[in-house]
Amino acid sequence: SMIRAAILIQKWYRFTMARLEMRRRYSLSIFQSIEYADEQDQLQVCNLPFFLNVEILFEKPDVRKVVDEGLCLKEFEKKIDVPDSYYGPRLSFPLTAEDANALLHAFRNEQLLHARYVLQLLSETRRVLKEMPNITHLSTSYSKEITVCGDLHGNLDDLLLIFYKNGLPSEQNRYVFNGDFVDRGKNSMEILIILFAFLLIYPNDLHLNRGNHEDYIMNLRYGFTKEVSKKYKDHWKQILCLLRDVFSWLPLATIIDSKVLILHGGISDTTDLDFLNALERNKVRDRTDVGIILFSLKNSAVQIQHLCINFCYCDSNFYFFFFKLKSLMRPPKSVRDREEQTKKRIATSKASKHTATQHTAVKTQHNPPSGSAEPSGSNSPPDPALEEWKQILDILWSDPRSQNGCTPNKCRGGGCYFGPDVTAKLFARYNLKMLIRSHEFKPEGYEISHDGKVITIFSASNYYEEGSNRGAYIKLNPELTPRFVQYQVSKFTRTIESAALKSLREKIYAHRSELTSAFAQYDTNGTGRISVNDWAEAMESVLQLELPWRMLRPQLVQMNPDGEVDFMSCFYDLKMGQPTKEAQPALAETLCRYRKDLEIIFNIIDKDHSGLISFEEFSQTWRLFTSHLGIEVEDDSIDKLVLSIDYNKDGHIDFNEFLEAFHVVHRLEKKWCQKFH
Amino acid sequence: MASRKDAVVAEIEKKITKAFEVFDRESNKTVDVREIGCIIRSLGCFPNEAEVQELLDQVNIEVEDPSGFVHLDKFLPVMTKVLLDERFQPIPEDVLLHAFESLKGYLLRQNVILCCFSGEPFTQEEMEDMLNVAVDPETNILHYRDYLPKLVID
């Protein structure tokens, strides 16, 4: 009958929807796991004990001037000409609401703000931010509601949507933006311009907190640096230089009515708000340093465990140069004690913090470099105390968890996981009622935890993919009851799974040999098949990603009718986008794994971001590194090196050739290892 | 054999636990009770809403849990039995096709809406969702031959 048919259809419908929902959920967890694993790598960059201050790369005087001499508005006007053909907004300082509207209008129409105005805006912003305390105190007594927004990550559409739904910032409409304005999305610059403009117009009504992405190293990796260099081909260096300073002056937290604490990441059991308020926040900034460990076979150097990208140069003297930007936490081959590594890392990082200023080598027999990292005559601030660094790291990187206690945040590699007891203690100590933080992606745009005490607010909708999540913001009334408003920039679709799986497959490919040996350990009979359980355990331990492997199994690997997994089938059909001449799987894996790090190095050397490294750029960088470390390298050795990398002999090194240089590394590294072990 | 059965049970329990974890937001072994239907179905079972409720009653049988959360420890034994007994097997596709065919002539949008309210009524959200995907906006008819493959995804 009709009813029965309808019931059947309904059953099927619910069945299908449930399975789709499950797939959507685990797709999100794939993205999240990979993202956190990535971010963790980057944090380690800051902790290497052996530094060359990359400020040297910005050594050109006219770039540094922007920061050191505090160029004022008039000087930018004199130095940078705005042609008549420019139809974008022309800002006049002090800014008014009209300027803000002009900016919004321009950005909606995908126009760019001219570099002169950008620099003027940034220098004014810095001037204003410098006056602000580390922790801003607000009161709801004379405004209706305060709106709190979370991560935007370069999604201009979300910011415009928020302003559309909630109104523009003004004395009657106050906003707090809780960090992570930049990276990943393609309009980070425009978001900053808008937020800074409103900050200048309404300095008491628009408040910004610093996020962990307001950091130069993160920007190098996650796209903001690239965005700026593409949009501002002539002035990007100055803009970035000034922006680094501006970021370091962003306030750390906001407190409303002495009851609601708003900061980007979270807290730890040692978080001390008074200490945070008193420290000099602009001194705790990114380490823009590339670590170099250099040793020579002549001195029979020991193998160094710092994890790096191997860039090997071989001449008659057998010098090996290692750039390392990767995580200290990744165990090399076997996957043993994760805990052990974490402890080591924390110990090393603490030690490295102390040794950083002296720049003594750790674990190497090579002579430490002479001289300090700071170029003479520079105005860069001295390194802050370890405690200051940790306090700020905690508030920018920590995540809440429901288990009690405060444990190191293994996922991120910095900050901690804090439980409800940590929250309760902090609240008791400072008489707080609520903690609003961001930093974590949430499918609904927000999440409440710790029994209502902690709210996570995330304002970047469709963060991973079209349709992945909603964004949200909080409206806080004078009673301090939060109200959530959700939105999504485009129509919700349920097709993010393929993108997530693609990322995951890339990771699988990058770890092919480790996985193969892990599988082999379970396959005692050499049949090529293992149980689903064993397969799942192997996957989790090698890739270090907590994912629902059994759910994912059908998409990743084939199973025979007995219910056993044919484990090598997860490597079939993995087409990698990056073309490599090398047929050996081991090298391709390494390239895949280190590709991102290599890209950063490449971008550092490629000073004008042309996509090509000229011999000149390469030589300059090489000379800087080696001279800083007190090593003499002959000019023609460098020339030979560069020539050998330029395969197509067009006088430049492109990124593919740069990657190819690893041919040499891999082969020589093997030889070297055989020779000395 | 006893040990083979134990192995099977262990496998099933792991499978259930992992599915549970996907919905376990706080990693504290509890999920919102409204997600239980989703979890059960994602494990390959095909209950109707009444049967989901029946399972829930079994889970909550000892303690009246007003918080709206289901704990893994209670869910696991009930669900393990369901999977071992192979209850709630999906009804084959051809039966589904048959169901659509028997409704032929009634698949205008308005009638689809009426259908949604019979049996175990859809919520507003479910109904809109289905209508958006299944009903052709121009003709206002549900073309079941196109819709069926969407329902029967792998």
Side-chain angles (χ1 to χ4, degrees), chain A residues 273-487:
Chain A
L273 294 181
D274 303 310
F275 182 79
L276 279 167
N277 205 24
L279 56 77
E280 291 179 79
R281 66 181 189 267
N282 68 309
K283 288 189 184 157
V284 185
R285 58 204 289 176
D286 53 82
R287 307 302 305 256
T288 60
D289 307 321
V290 173
I292 300 185
I293 292 89
L294 170 66
F295 60 95
S296 125
L297 285 179
K298 277 186 180 175
N299 299 343
S300 59
V302 298
Q303 186 183 30
I304 291 181
Q305 273 302 316
H306 294 284
L307 306 170
C308 296
I309 299 159
N310 297 337
F311 188 107
C312 165
Y313 163 59
C314 175
D315 75 345
S316 55
N317 295 327
F318 275 106
Y319 284 106
F320 284 80
F321 298 84
F322 284 77
F323 289 85
K324 296 221 180 214
L325 273 189
K326 220 168 83 68
S327 164
L328 282 164
M329 268 184 75
R330 289 251 188 88
K333 286 283 174 182
S334 71
V335 187
R336 245 166 282 160
D337 227 35
R338 223 169 141 191
E339 219 62 27
E340 195 52 51
Q341 298 287 343
T342 317
K343 287 197 196 113
K344 253 194 239 160
R345 177 192 68 77
I346 292 179
T348 315
S349 70
K350 283 205 170 118
S352 75
K353 240 352 239 149
H354 284 302
T355 59
T357 32
Q358 294 103 46
H359 282 260
T360 51
V362 173
K363 285 200 227 170
T364 178
Q365 292 175 356
H366 193 79
N367 290 328
S370 53
S372 77
E374 316 292 338
S376 56
S378 99
N379 291 336
S380 41
D383 288 340
L386 181 60
E387 181 59 27
E388 290 183 353
W389 173 77
K390 184 187 186 293
Q391 288 272 341
I392 296 193
L393 195 70
D394 285 340
I395 62 172
L396 295 186
W397 284 83
S398 300
D399 292 316
R401 282 293 176 270
S402 50
Q403 286 84 19
N404 277 336
C406 186
T407 53
N409 193 324
K410 289 188 291 193
C411 219
R412 306 260 195 187
C416 29
Y417 292 130
F418 63 98
D421 55 334
V422 179
T423 308
K425 234 175 62 180
L426 190 91
F427 281 20
R429 181 172 171 191
Y430 294 107
N431 209 1
L432 298 168
K433 183 184 134 166
M434 200 187 331
L435 170 64
I436 299 179
R437 42 88 65 177
S438 304
H439 193 45
E440 271 184 307
F441 159 88
K442 295 293 170 198
E444 293 300 312
Y446 74 95
E447 188 170 276
I448 306 178
S449 40
H450 291 191
D451 202 27
K453 297 206 183 80
V454 175
I455 298 179
T456 303
I457 186 76
F458 192 82
S459 301
S461 71
N462 303 329
Y463 180 60
Y464 288 122
E465 266 278 301
E466 188 80 1
S468 65
N469 66 297
R470 293 175 163 153
Y473 56 86
I474 305 175
K475 309 273 303 176
L476 267 183
N477 62 16
E479 276 85 58
L480 301 179
T481 326
R483 184 164 66 84
F484 300 95
V485 180
Q486 294 168 299
Y487 53 84

Side-chain angles (χ1 to χ4, degrees), chain A residues 527 529-532 558-566:
Chain A
T527 57
R529 292 190 296 277
I530 56 180
S531 73
V532 177
Q558 289 167 24
M559 194 166 78
N560 69 14
D562 298 334
E564 288 188 312
V565 168
D566 172 6

Side-chain angles (χ1 to χ4, degrees), chain A residues 2 5 8-16 18-19 22-23 25 402-403 447 449 494 533 550-551, chain B residues 14 22-23 25-27 35 41-42 45-46 91 103 116 118 120-122 126 129 147 151 154:
Chain A
M2 196 175 114
L8 177 61
I9 294 172
Q10 286 170 340
K11 266 175 102 167
W12 257 107
Y13 174 81
R14 290 191 168 111
F15 182 58
T16 302
R19 290 164 72 205
M22 175 61 93
R23 285 161 73 164
R25 295 276 178 124
S402 50
Q403 286 84 19
E447 188 170 276
S449 40
R494 299 182 194 257
N533 260 0
R550 282 160 197 77
M551 295 272 135
Chain B
K14 262 223 170 117
V22 177
F23 288 88
R25 302 270 191 108
E26 290 257 318
S27 306
E35 318 260 43
R41 289 178 174 111
S42 71
C45 292
F46 201 75
I91 295 176
L103 289 178
C116 291
S118 56
E120 287 177 331
F122 274 2
E126 285 176 315
D129 233 352
Y147 186 49
L151 272 184
D154 179 12

Side-chain angles (χ1 to χ4, degrees), chain A residues 169-188:
Chain A
S170 71
E171 288 104 345
Q172 292 77 34
N173 194 11
R174 296 155 88 193
Y175 277 88
V176 177
F177 285 90
N178 204 12
D180 277 12
F181 319 118
V182 301
D183 280 332
R184 302 189 205 272
K186 58 187 179 66
N187 291 106
S188 302

Side-chain angles (χ1 to χ4, degrees), chain A residues 24-49:
Chain A
R24 190 182 75 100
R25 295 276 178 124
Y26 70 60
S27 300
L28 293 178
S29 64
I30 292 175
F31 276 128
Q32 221 169 336
S33 306
I34 293 182
E35 177 184 353
Y36 286 174
D38 254 7
E39 268 187 4
Q40 173 201 104
D41 278 2
Q42 286 318 103
L43 199 55
Q44 296 312 317
V45 181
C46 309
N47 298 335
L48 288 173

Side-chain angles (χ1 to χ4, degrees), chain A residues 115-300:
Chain A
R116 179 217 279 180
Y117 301 120
V118 173
L119 287 163
Q120 286 181 321
L121 178 70
L122 290 179
S123 92
E124 278 299 290
T125 304
R126 182 175 61 153
R127 187 181 60 77
V128 168
L129 285 177
K130 270 182 171 177
E131 307 293 314
M132 294 180 176
N134 297 351
I135 301 182
T136 311
H137 287 262
L138 298 180
S139 153
T140 55
S141 55
Y142 63 96
S143 70
K144 287 187 294 184
E145 283 175 317
I146 300 185
T147 308
V148 183
C149 301
D151 295 21
L152 285 169
H153 280 303
N155 279 9
L156 180 62
D157 289 339
D158 285 316
L159 183 60
L160 294 176
L161 184 58
I162 294 173
F163 284 165
Y164 177 69
K165 283 170 88 86
N166 199 48
L168 296 178
S170 71
E171 288 104 345
Q172 292 77 34
N173 194 11
R174 296 155 88 193
Y175 277 88
V176 177
F177 285 90
N178 204 12
D180 277 12
F181 319 118
V182 301
D183 280 332
R184 302 189 205 272
K186 58 187 179 66
N187 291 106
S188 302
M189 196 66 230
E190 283 71 43
I191 289 194
L192 285 180
I193 294 172
I194 294 174
L195 291 179
F196 291 159
F198 277 111
L199 175 77
L200 293 178
I201 304 170
Y202 302 108
N204 298 320
D205 306 302
L206 184 119
H207 302 275
L208 304 174
N209 288 338
R210 187 170 181 183
N212 64 310
H213 275 258
E214 273 69 62
D215 172 304
Y216 184 65
I217 292 277
M218 297 294 276
N219 300 153
L220 270 177
R221 171 79 166 242
Y222 291 103
F224 180 45
T225 312
K226 209 181 227 177
E227 181 189 322
V228 178
S229 68
K230 288 217 166 77
K231 288 179 176 169
Y232 293 98
K233 292 195 163 52
D234 297 323
H235 294 97
W236 60 273
K237 278 186 230 173
Q238 288 161 301
I239 292 176
L240 285 176
C241 200
L242 190 43
L243 207 40
R244 272 179 67 209
D245 218 33
V246 172
F247 282 165
S248 74
W249 279 110
L250 285 170
L252 301 173
T254 309
I255 299 184
I256 301 185
D257 288 348
S258 306
K259 288 257 164 275
V260 178
L261 174 62
I262 309 177
L263 39 78
H264 177 73
I267 55 176
S268 77
D269 52 1
T270 55
T271 294
D272 181 341
L273 294 181
D274 303 310
F275 182 79
L276 279 167
N277 205 24
L279 56 77
E280 291 179 79
R281 66 181 189 267
N282 68 309
K283 288 189 184 157
V284 185
R285 58 204 289 176
D286 53 82
R287 307 302 305 256
T288 60
D289 307 321
V290 173
I292 300 185
I293 292 89
L294 170 66
F295 60 95
S296 125
L297 285 179
K298 277 186 180 175
N299 299 343
S300 59

